[in-house]
Amino acid sequence: MTASADAGPGAGVDQDRVQQFLERVIADSGAAVAGLCTSLGDRLGLYAAMAGAGPLTSAQLAARTGLVERYVREWLAAQVAGEYLVYAPGTDTYLLPDEHAAVLADPDLPTYAAGFATVLQALYATEDILMEAFRTGEGVGWEEHGPALFAGTAKFFRPGYTAALVPEWLTALDGVVEKLARGARVADVGCGYGYSTTLMAQAFPRSRFEGFDFHRPSVEAARGIAAEQGVDDRVAFQVAGAQDFPGGDFDLITFFDCLHDIGDPGGALHHAEQALADGGTCMIVEPNASANAQENVNPFGRALTAGSVAICLPSALAQHGPQALGNHAGEEAMRRIADEAGLHHWRLAATNPVNRVYDVGR
């Protein structure tokens, strides 16, 4: 028997590196569990109650939120351990720094990110179904997830759309803002809860907007949001797929973070090409992730690619189309699909850490 065989499977392993990686996995596991606490803090209004309030005791925070103090105290301890809150032992008080409140407490700020934690509830609930999909190659449809996925996705993307859609993305498209100001027809494909649709409608009252999504509960939610925002006189939502949504002569057709979820993205873009008015524009908003796995070694890339495993790729596979891209197929793949669909003009119009925005046309 050789010496290497006698040494066993751990022979030659750098134990310091093992320890470092073990600590990384434990930290990640802690973050995964802490995501539940983040979601609770968001949904129960704990962060909102602490924002701008200065140091609070657990009893004061419980009184502000109408929650049970013992649970609140346990939640606060977890938040201190995660360095989301600052604890002052002398006064037994907890502080949410203003910089943290900008990320956790106000859904109207572009930096708000707590909504992503809501999505976790739905993802972990479908783990067993996803395991079976790995074995069979079948998909996990968007509609197979729980309501937390739909609400959490809308909550997560809304701040970014609010901050950038009208002032940055639309203005980066050639001639589109001028058309919208005069009065244009717009189709928002894969609109979800319709936040993107209503934002455009608020900014351009002379234009008319139609939102399409195959998921009926999301369409119903979108109708309610449009009514609340007072734009339902110029916004209509319908249940329809990306390959067969009705209407034509649209001056602008948008795909917000959804084209990669479609089982036939080429078919969707071909239908869009046919539905465009002369001189019309497609705006395609996709995640800012790379087809090169090494280029995704960063916090945004990690979140996006993990989301692709759990949501995007299974959703596309469930539609049994010719292509299942995942959310990091990259610009070249998307550009090729658009070109084959008859959309030969392609330009990167805007970018940020989360999204890439493309100006696409005939």
Side-chain angles (χ1 to χ4, degrees), residues 29-120:
S29 300
V33 178
L36 171 62
C37 295
T38 303
S39 183
L40 288 169
D42 176 51
R43 297 175 68 194
L44 289 170
L46 287 157
Y47 295 126
M50 297 188 76
L56 295 172
T57 66
S58 59
Q60 289 172 327
L61 181 57
R64 277 174 167 257
T65 56
L67 302 173
V68 176
E69 186 276 337
R70 184 64 188 89
Y71 272 107
V72 170
R73 187 168 11 123
E74 203 74 0
W75 179 84
L76 287 165
Q79 296 295 287
V80 171
E83 299 182 301
Y84 280 27
L85 303 180
V86 177
Y87 178 62
T91 56
D92 195 26
T93 57
Y94 304 82
L95 173 70
L96 177 65
D98 291 342
E99 297 78 6
H100 296 196
V103 178
L104 298 170
D106 189 349
D108 292 326
L109 292 179
T111 49
Y112 172 78
F116 188 80
T118 302
V119 173
L120 300 178

Coordinates of all heavy atoms in Angstrom, one line a residue, residues 29-120:
S29 N -24.4 30.4 5.4 CA -25.5 29.8 6.0 C -26.2 30.7 7.0 O -27.5 30.8 7.0 CB -25.1 28.5 6.7 OG -24.5 27.6 5.8
G30 N -25.4 31.4 7.7 CA -26.0 32.4 8.6 C -26.8 33.5 7.9 O -27.8 33.9 8.3
A31 N -26.2 33.9 6.8 CA -26.9 35.0 6.0 C -28.2 34.4 5.4 O -29.2 35.1 5.3 CB -26.0 35.4 4.8
A32 N -28.2 33.1 5.0 CA -29.4 32.5 4.5 C -30.5 32.5 5.5 O -31.7 32.8 5.2 CB -29.1 31.1 4.0
V33 N -30.2 32.2 6.8 CA -31.2 32.2 7.9 C -31.5 33.6 8.2 O -32.7 33.9 8.4 CB -30.6 31.5 9.1 CG1 -31.6 31.5 10.2 CG2 -30.3 30.0 8.8
A34 N -30.5 34.5 8.2 CA -30.8 35.9 8.5 C -31.7 36.6 7.5 O -32.4 37.5 7.8 CB -29.5 36.7 8.6
G35 N -31.8 36.0 6.3 CA -32.7 36.6 5.3 C -34.1 36.5 5.8 O -35.0 37.4 5.5
L36 N -34.5 35.5 6.5 CA -35.8 35.4 7.1 C -36.1 36.6 8.1 O -37.1 37.2 8.1 CB -36.0 34.1 7.9 CG -37.3 33.9 8.7 CD1 -38.5 34.0 7.8 CD2 -37.2 32.6 9.5
C37 N -35.0 36.9 8.9 CA -35.2 38.0 9.8 C -35.3 39.3 9.1 O -36.0 40.2 9.5 CB -33.9 38.0 10.8 SG -33.8 36.6 11.9
T38 N -34.6 39.4 8.0 CA -34.7 40.7 7.2 C -36.1 40.8 6.6 O -36.7 41.9 6.6 CB -33.7 40.6 6.0 OG1 -32.3 40.5 6.6 CG2 -33.7 41.9 5.2
S39 N -36.6 39.7 6.1 CA -38.0 39.7 5.6 C -39.0 40.1 6.7 O -39.9 40.9 6.4 CB -38.3 38.4 4.9 OG -39.6 38.4 4.3
L40 N -38.8 39.5 7.8 CA -39.7 39.8 8.9 C -39.6 41.3 9.3 O -40.6 41.9 9.6 CB -39.4 38.9 10.2 CG -39.8 37.5 10.1 CD1 -39.1 36.7 11.2 CD2 -41.3 37.3 10.1
G41 N -38.4 41.8 9.4 CA -38.2 43.2 9.7 C -38.9 44.1 8.7 O -39.4 45.2 9.1
D42 N -38.8 43.7 7.4 CA -39.4 44.5 6.4 C -41.0 44.4 6.4 O -41.7 45.4 6.5 CB -38.9 44.0 5.0 CG -39.6 44.7 3.9 OD1 -39.6 45.9 3.8 OD2 -40.0 44.0 2.9
R43 N -41.5 43.2 6.5 CA -42.9 43.0 6.4 C -43.7 43.4 7.7 O -44.8 43.8 7.6 CB -43.2 41.5 6.1 CG -42.7 41.1 4.7 CD -42.9 39.6 4.5 NE -44.3 39.3 4.4 CZ -44.8 38.0 4.4 NH1 -43.9 37.0 4.7 NH2 -46.0 37.8 4.2
L44 N -43.0 43.3 8.8 CA -43.6 43.7 10.1 C -43.4 45.2 10.4 O -44.0 45.7 11.4 CB -43.1 42.9 11.2 CG -43.5 41.4 11.3 CD1 -42.6 40.6 12.3 CD2 -44.9 41.3 11.6
G45 N -42.7 45.9 9.5 CA -42.5 47.3 9.8 C -41.5 47.7 10.8 O -41.5 48.8 11.3
L46 N -40.7 46.7 11.2 CA -39.7 47.0 12.2 C -38.6 48.0 11.8 O -38.3 49.0 12.5 CB -39.0 45.7 12.7 CG -39.9 44.8 13.5 CD1 -39.4 43.3 13.5 CD2 -39.9 45.3 15.0
Y47 N -38.1 47.8 10.6 CA -37.1 48.8 10.0 C -37.7 50.2 9.9 O -37.1 51.2 10.2 CB -36.6 48.3 8.7 CG -35.8 47.0 8.8 CD1 -36.1 45.9 7.9 CD2 -34.7 46.9 9.6 CE1 -35.4 44.8 7.9 CE2 -33.9 45.7 9.6 CZ -34.3 44.7 8.8 OH -33.6 43.5 8.8
A48 N -38.9 50.2 9.4 CA -39.6 51.5 9.2 C -39.8 52.2 10.5 O -39.7 53.4 10.6 CB -41.0 51.3 8.4
A49 N -40.1 51.5 11.5 CA -40.4 52.1 12.9 C -39.1 52.6 13.5 O -39.1 53.5 14.2 CB -41.0 51.0 13.8
M50 N -37.9 52.0 13.1 CA -36.6 52.4 13.6 C -36.0 53.5 12.8 O -35.2 54.3 13.4 CB -35.7 51.2 13.7 CG -36.1 50.1 14.6 SD -34.8 48.8 14.8 CE -33.7 49.7 15.9
A51 N -36.4 53.7 11.6 CA -35.8 54.7 10.7 C -36.0 56.1 11.3 O -37.1 56.5 11.5 CB -36.4 54.6 9.3
G52 N -34.9 56.8 11.5 CA -34.9 58.2 12.0 C -35.4 58.3 13.5 O -35.6 59.4 13.9
A53 N -35.6 57.2 14.2 CA -36.2 57.3 15.5 C -35.1 57.4 16.6 O -35.4 57.6 17.8 CB -37.0 56.0 15.8
G54 N -33.8 57.2 16.2 CA -32.7 57.2 17.2 C -32.7 55.9 18.0 O -33.4 55.0 17.7
P55 N -31.9 55.9 19.1 CA -31.8 54.6 19.8 C -33.2 54.3 20.5 O -33.9 55.1 21.0 CB -30.8 55.0 20.9 CG -30.0 56.2 20.4 CD -31.0 56.9 19.6
L56 N -33.5 53.0 20.4 CA -34.8 52.5 21.0 C -34.5 51.2 21.8 O -33.6 50.4 21.4 CB -35.8 52.1 19.9 CG -36.3 53.2 19.0 CD1 -37.1 52.6 17.9 CD2 -37.1 54.2 19.8
T57 N -35.2 51.1 22.9 CA -35.2 49.8 23.6 C -36.1 48.8 22.9 O -36.9 49.2 22.1 CB -35.7 50.0 25.1 OG1 -37.0 50.4 25.1 CG2 -34.8 51.0 25.8
S58 N -36.0 47.6 23.3 CA -36.9 46.6 22.7 C -38.3 46.8 23.0 O -39.2 46.6 22.2 CB -36.5 45.2 23.1 OG -36.5 45.0 24.5
A59 N -38.6 47.3 24.3 CA -39.9 47.6 24.7 C -40.5 48.8 23.9 O -41.7 48.8 23.5 CB -40.0 48.0 26.2
Q60 N -39.7 49.8 23.6 CA -40.1 51.0 22.8 C -40.4 50.6 21.4 O -41.4 51.0 20.8 CB -39.0 52.1 22.9 CG -38.9 52.8 24.2 CD -37.7 53.7 24.2 OE1 -36.7 53.4 23.6 NE2 -37.8 54.8 25.0
L61 N -39.6 49.7 20.8 CA -39.8 49.3 19.5 C -41.1 48.4 19.4 O -41.9 48.5 18.5 CB -38.6 48.5 18.9 CG -38.8 48.0 17.5 CD1 -39.0 49.1 16.5 CD2 -37.5 47.2 17.1
A62 N -41.3 47.5 20.4 CA -42.5 46.7 20.4 C -43.7 47.6 20.5 O -44.8 47.3 19.9 CB -42.4 45.8 21.6
A63 N -43.7 48.7 21.3 CA -44.8 49.6 21.5 C -45.1 50.3 20.1 O -46.3 50.5 19.8 CB -44.5 50.6 22.6
R64 N -44.0 50.7 19.4 CA -44.2 51.4 18.2 C -44.8 50.5 17.1 O -45.6 51.0 16.2 CB -42.8 51.9 17.6 CG -42.3 53.2 18.2 CD -40.9 53.5 17.8 NE -40.6 54.8 18.1 CZ -40.5 55.8 17.2 NH1 -40.8 55.6 15.9 NH2 -40.2 57.1 17.6
T65 N -44.6 49.2 17.2 CA -45.0 48.3 16.1 C -46.2 47.5 16.5 O -46.8 46.8 15.7 CB -43.9 47.4 15.7 OG1 -43.4 46.7 16.9 CG2 -42.7 48.1 15.0
G66 N -46.6 47.5 17.8 CA -47.7 46.6 18.3 C -47.3 45.2 18.3 O -48.2 44.3 18.2
L67 N -46.1 44.8 18.4 CA -45.6 43.5 18.4 C -45.2 43.0 19.8 O -45.1 43.8 20.7 CB -44.4 43.3 17.5 CG -44.7 43.7 16.0 CD1 -43.4 43.7 15.2 CD2 -45.7 42.8 15.4
V68 N -45.0 41.7 20.0 CA -44.7 41.2 21.3 C -43.2 41.5 21.6 O -42.3 41.1 20.8 CB -45.0 39.7 21.3 CG1 -44.5 39.1 22.7 CG2 -46.4 39.4 21.1
E69 N -42.9 42.0 22.8 CA -41.6 42.5 23.1 C -40.6 41.4 23.1 O -39.4 41.6 22.6 CB -41.6 43.2 24.5 CG -40.3 43.8 24.8 CD -39.2 42.9 25.5 OE1 -39.7 41.8 26.0 OE2 -38.0 43.1 25.4
R70 N -40.9 40.2 23.5 CA -39.9 39.1 23.6 C -39.5 38.7 22.2 O -38.3 38.4 22.0 CB -40.5 37.9 24.3 CG -39.5 36.8 24.5 CD -38.4 37.2 25.4 NE -37.3 36.2 25.5 CZ -36.3 36.1 24.7 NH1 -36.2 37.0 23.7 NH2 -35.4 35.2 24.8
Y71 N -40.4 38.6 21.3 CA -40.0 38.3 19.9 C -39.1 39.5 19.3 O -38.2 39.2 18.6 CB -41.2 38.1 19.0 CG -41.7 36.7 19.0 CD1 -42.9 36.4 19.6 CD2 -41.0 35.7 18.3 CE1 -43.4 35.0 19.6 CE2 -41.5 34.4 18.3 CZ -42.7 34.1 18.9 OH -43.1 32.8 18.9
V72 N -39.5 40.7 19.6 CA -38.8 41.9 19.1 C -37.4 41.8 19.6 O -36.4 42.1 18.9 CB -39.5 43.2 19.5 CG1 -38.6 44.4 19.2 CG2 -40.8 43.3 18.7
R73 N -37.2 41.5 20.9 CA -35.9 41.5 21.5 C -35.0 40.4 20.9 O -33.8 40.6 20.6 CB -36.0 41.2 23.0 CG -34.7 41.3 23.8 CD -34.9 41.4 25.3 NE -36.2 41.0 25.8 CZ -36.4 40.0 26.6 NH1 -35.4 39.2 27.0 NH2 -37.6 39.8 27.1
E74 N -35.6 39.3 20.5 CA -34.8 38.2 19.9 C -34.4 38.6 18.5 O -33.3 38.4 18.0 CB -35.6 36.9 19.8 CG -34.8 35.7 19.7 CD -34.1 35.3 21.0 OE1 -34.2 36.0 22.0 OE2 -33.4 34.3 21.0
W75 N -35.3 39.3 17.8 CA -35.0 39.8 16.4 C -33.9 40.8 16.5 O -33.0 40.8 15.6 CB -36.3 40.4 15.8 CG -36.1 41.0 14.5 CD1 -36.2 40.3 13.3 CD2 -35.9 42.4 14.1 NE1 -36.0 41.2 12.2 CE2 -35.8 42.5 12.7 CE3 -35.8 43.5 14.9 CZ2 -35.6 43.7 12.1 CZ3 -35.5 44.7 14.3 CH2 -35.5 44.8 12.9
L76 N -34.0 41.7 17.5 CA -32.9 42.7 17.6 C -31.6 42.1 17.8 O -30.6 42.6 17.2 CB -33.3 43.7 18.8 CG -34.5 44.7 18.5 CD1 -34.9 45.3 19.8 CD2 -34.0 45.7 17.5
A77 N -31.5 41.1 18.6 CA -30.2 40.4 18.8 C -29.6 39.9 17.5 O -28.4 40.0 17.3 CB -30.4 39.3 19.9
A78 N -30.5 39.3 16.7 CA -30.0 38.8 15.4 C -29.6 39.9 14.5 O -28.6 39.7 13.8 CB -31.2 38.0 14.8
Q79 N -30.2 41.0 14.6 CA -29.9 42.1 13.7 C -28.5 42.7 14.2 O -27.7 43.2 13.3 CB -31.0 43.2 13.8 CG -32.3 42.8 13.2 CD -32.2 42.5 11.7 OE1 -32.1 43.4 10.9 NE2 -32.3 41.2 11.4
V80 N -28.3 42.7 15.5 CA -27.0 43.2 15.9 C -25.9 42.2 15.5 O -24.8 42.7 15.1 CB -27.0 43.3 17.5 CG1 -25.6 43.6 18.0 CG2 -27.9 44.5 17.9
A81 N -26.1 40.9 15.6 CA -25.1 39.9 15.2 C -24.8 40.1 13.7 O -23.6 39.8 13.3 CB -25.7 38.5 15.5
G82 N -25.8 40.5 12.9 CA -25.5 40.7 11.5 C -25.0 42.0 11.1 O -24.8 42.3 9.9
E83 N -24.8 42.9 12.1 CA -24.3 44.3 12.0 C -25.3 45.1 11.1 O -24.9 46.1 10.5 CB -22.9 44.3 11.3 CG -21.9 43.6 12.2 CD -20.5 43.6 11.6 OE1 -20.3 43.1 10.5 OE2 -19.6 44.2 12.3
Y84 N -26.6 44.8 11.2 CA -27.6 45.7 10.6 C -28.0 46.8 11.6 O -28.3 47.9 11.1 CB -28.8 44.9 10.3 CG -28.8 44.1 9.0 CD1 -27.6 43.6 8.5 CD2 -29.9 43.7 8.3 CE1 -27.5 42.9 7.3 CE2 -29.9 43.0 7.1 CZ -28.6 42.6 6.6 OH -28.6 41.8 5.5
L85 N -27.9 46.5 12.9 CA -28.2 47.5 13.9 C -27.0 47.7 14.8 O -26.1 46.8 14.9 CB -29.4 47.0 14.8 CG -30.7 46.7 14.1 CD1 -31.7 46.3 15.1 CD2 -31.2 47.9 13.3
V86 N -27.0 48.8 15.5 CA -25.9 49.1 16.5 C -26.5 49.1 17.9 O -27.5 49.7 18.2 CB -25.3 50.5 16.2 CG1 -24.2 50.8 17.3 CG2 -24.7 50.5 14.8
Y87 N -25.8 48.3 18.8 CA -26.3 48.1 20.1 C -25.5 49.0 21.1 O -24.3 49.0 21.0 CB -26.3 46.7 20.5 CG -26.7 46.4 21.9 CD1 -28.0 46.7 22.4 CD2 -25.9 45.8 22.9 CE1 -28.4 46.4 23.7 CE2 -26.2 45.5 24.2 CZ -27.5 45.8 24.6 OH -27.9 45.6 25.9
A88 N -26.2 49.6 22.0 CA -25.5 50.4 23.1 C -25.8 49.7 24.4 O -26.9 49.9 25.0 CB -26.0 51.8 23.1
P89 N -24.9 48.9 25.0 CA -25.1 48.1 26.2 C -25.4 49.0 27.4 O -26.2 48.6 28.3 CB -23.9 47.3 26.4 CG -22.8 48.0 25.6 CD -23.5 48.6 24.4
G90 N -24.9 50.2 27.4 CA -25.1 51.1 28.6 C -26.5 51.5 28.8 O -27.0 51.6 29.9
T91 N -27.2 51.7 27.7 CA -28.6 52.1 27.7 C -29.6 51.0 27.3 O -30.8 51.2 27.3 CB -28.8 53.3 26.8 OG1 -28.4 53.0 25.5 CG2 -28.0 54.5 27.4
D92 N -29.0 49.9 26.9 CA -29.8 48.7 26.3 C -30.7 49.2 25.2 O -31.9 48.9 25.1 CB -30.6 48.1 27.5 CG -31.2 46.7 27.1 OD1 -30.6 46.1 26.2 OD2 -32.3 46.4 27.6
T93 N -30.1 49.9 24.3 CA -30.8 50.5 23.1 C -30.2 50.0 21.8 O -29.1 49.6 21.7 CB -30.9 52.0 23.1 OG1 -29.5 52.5 23.1 CG2 -31.6 52.5 24.3
Y94 N -31.0 50.1 20.8 CA -30.7 49.6 19.4 C -30.9 50.8 18.4 O -31.9 51.5 18.5 CB -31.5 48.4 19.0 CG -31.4 47.3 20.0 CD1 -32.2 47.3 21.1 CD2 -30.6 46.2 19.8 CE1 -32.2 46.2 22.0 CE2 -30.5 45.1 20.7 CZ -31.3 45.2 21.8 OH -31.2 44.1 22.7
L95 N -30.0 50.9 17.5 CA -30.0 52.0 16.5 C -29.9 51.5 15.1 O -29.1 50.7 14.8 CB -28.9 53.0 16.8 CG -28.7 54.1 15.7 CD1 -29.9 55.1 15.9 CD2 -27.4 54.8 15.9
L96 N -30.8 51.9 14.3 CA -30.7 51.7 12.8 C -30.1 52.9 12.2 O -30.7 53.9 12.1 CB -32.1 51.4 12.2 CG -32.2 51.2 10.7 CD1 -31.4 49.9 10.3 CD2 -33.6 51.2 10.2
P97 N -28.8 52.8 11.8 CA -28.1 53.9 11.2 C -28.9 54.4 9.9 O -29.5 53.6 9.2 CB -26.7 53.4 10.8 CG -26.5 52.2 11.7 CD -27.9 51.6 11.9
D98 N -28.8 55.7 9.7 CA -29.5 56.3 8.5 C -29.1 55.6 7.2 O -29.9 55.4 6.3 CB -29.2 57.8 8.4 CG -29.9 58.5 9.6 OD1 -30.8 58.0 10.2 OD2 -29.5 59.7 9.8
E99 N -27.8 55.2 7.1 CA -27.3 54.6 5.9 C -27.9 53.2 5.7 O -28.1 52.8 4.6 CB -25.8 54.5 6.0 CG -25.0 55.8 6.0 CD -25.0 56.5 7.4 OE1 -25.5 55.9 8.3 OE2 -24.5 57.6 7.4
H100 N -28.2 52.5 6.8 CA -28.8 51.2 6.7 C -30.3 51.4 6.4 O -30.9 50.6 5.7 CB -28.6 50.4 8.0 CG -27.2 50.1 8.3 ND1 -26.8 49.1 9.2 CD2 -26.0 50.6 7.7 CE1 -25.5 49.1 9.2 NE2 -25.0 49.9 8.3
A101 N -30.9 52.4 7.0 CA -32.3 52.7 6.8 C -32.6 52.9 5.3 O -33.7 52.5 4.8 CB -32.8 53.9 7.6
A102 N -31.6 53.5 4.6 CA -31.8 53.8 3.2 C -31.9 52.5 2.4 O -32.5 52.5 1.3 CB -30.6 54.6 2.7
V103 N -31.4 51.4 2.9 CA -31.5 50.1 2.2 C -32.6 49.3 2.7 O -33.2 48.5 1.9 CB -30.1 49.4 2.4 CG1 -30.1 48.0 1.7 CG2 -29.0 50.2 1.9
L104 N -33.0 49.4 3.9 CA -34.0 48.5 4.6 C -35.4 49.1 4.9 O -36.3 48.3 5.0 CB -33.4 48.0 5.9 CG -32.1 47.2 5.8 CD1 -31.5 47.0 7.2 CD2 -32.3 45.9 5.1
A105 N -35.5 50.4 5.0 CA -36.7 50.9 5.5 C -37.7 51.7 4.6 O -38.8 51.8 4.9 CB -36.3 51.9 6.7
D106 N -37.2 52.2 3.5 CA -38.0 53.0 2.7 C -38.1 52.5 1.2 O -37.2 52.6 0.4 CB -37.4 54.4 2.6 CG -38.4 55.4 2.0 OD1 -39.4 55.0 1.4 OD2 -38.1 56.7 2.1
P107 N -39.2 51.9 0.9 CA -39.4 51.3 -0.5 C -39.4 52.3 -1.6 O -39.2 51.9 -2.8 CB -40.8 50.6 -0.4 CG -41.1 50.5 1.0 CD -40.4 51.6 1.7
D108 N -39.5 53.6 -1.3 CA -39.4 54.6 -2.3 C -38.0 55.1 -2.6 O -37.9 55.8 -3.6 CB -40.3 55.8 -1.9 CG -41.8 55.5 -1.8 OD1 -42.2 54.7 -2.6 OD2 -42.4 56.1 -0.9
L109 N -37.0 54.6 -1.9 CA -35.6 55.0 -2.2 C -35.1 54.0 -3.2 O -35.3 52.8 -3.2 CB -34.8 55.0 -0.9 CG -35.1 56.1 0.1 CD1 -34.2 56.0 1.3 CD2 -35.0 57.5 -0.5
P110 N -34.2 54.5 -4.1 CA -33.6 53.6 -5.1 C -32.7 52.6 -4.5 O -32.4 51.6 -5.2 CB -32.9 54.6 -6.1 CG -32.6 55.8 -5.2 CD -33.8 55.9 -4.3
T111 N -32.2 52.8 -3.3 CA -31.3 51.9 -2.6 C -32.0 50.8 -1.8 O -31.4 49.9 -1.3 CB -30.4 52.7 -1.7 OG1 -31.1 53.5 -0.9 CG2 -29.4 53.5 -2.5
Y112 N -33.3 50.9 -1.8 CA -34.1 49.9 -1.0 C -33.9 48.5 -1.6 O -34.1 48.3 -2.8 CB -35.6 50.3 -1.0 CG -36.5 49.2 -0.4 CD1 -36.6 49.1 1.0 CD2 -37.3 48.4 -1.2 CE1 -37.5 48.2 1.5 CE2 -38.1 47.5 -0.7 CZ -38.2 47.4 0.7 OH -39.1 46.4 1.2
A113 N -33.5 47.5 -0.7 CA -33.3 46.2 -1.2 C -33.9 45.1 -0.4 O -33.7 43.9 -0.6 CB -31.7 45.9 -1.3
A114 N -34.6 45.4 0.7 CA -35.2 44.4 1.6 C -36.2 43.6 0.9 O -36.5 42.5 1.4 CB -35.8 45.1 2.8
G115 N -36.8 44.0 -0.2 CA -37.8 43.3 -0.9 C -37.3 41.9 -1.4 O -38.1 41.0 -1.5
F116 N -36.0 41.8 -1.6 CA -35.5 40.6 -2.1 C -35.6 39.5 -1.1 O -35.8 38.3 -1.5 CB -34.0 40.7 -2.5 CG -33.4 39.6 -3.2 CD1 -33.6 39.4 -4.5 CD2 -32.7 38.6 -2.5 CE1 -33.1 38.3 -5.2 CE2 -32.1 37.5 -3.1 CZ -32.3 37.3 -4.5
A117 N -35.6 39.8 0.2 CA -35.7 38.8 1.2 C -37.1 38.2 1.2 O -37.2 37.0 1.6 CB -35.5 39.4 2.6
T118 N -38.1 38.9 0.7 CA -39.5 38.3 0.6 C -39.5 37.1 -0.4 O -40.2 36.1 -0.2 CB -40.5 39.4 0.2 OG1 -40.5 40.4 1.1 CG2 -41.9 38.8 0.1
V119 N -38.7 37.2 -1.4 CA -38.6 36.2 -2.4 C -38.1 34.9 -1.9 O -38.5 33.8 -2.3 CB -37.6 36.6 -3.6 CG1 -37.4 35.5 -4.6 CG2 -38.2 37.9 -4.3
L120 N -37.3 34.9 -0.8 CA -36.7 33.7 -0.3 C -37.8 32.7 0.2 O -37.6 31.5 0.1 CB -35.7 34.1 0.9 CG -34.5 35.0 0.5 CD1 -33.7 35.3 1.8 CD2 -33.7 34.3 -0.5

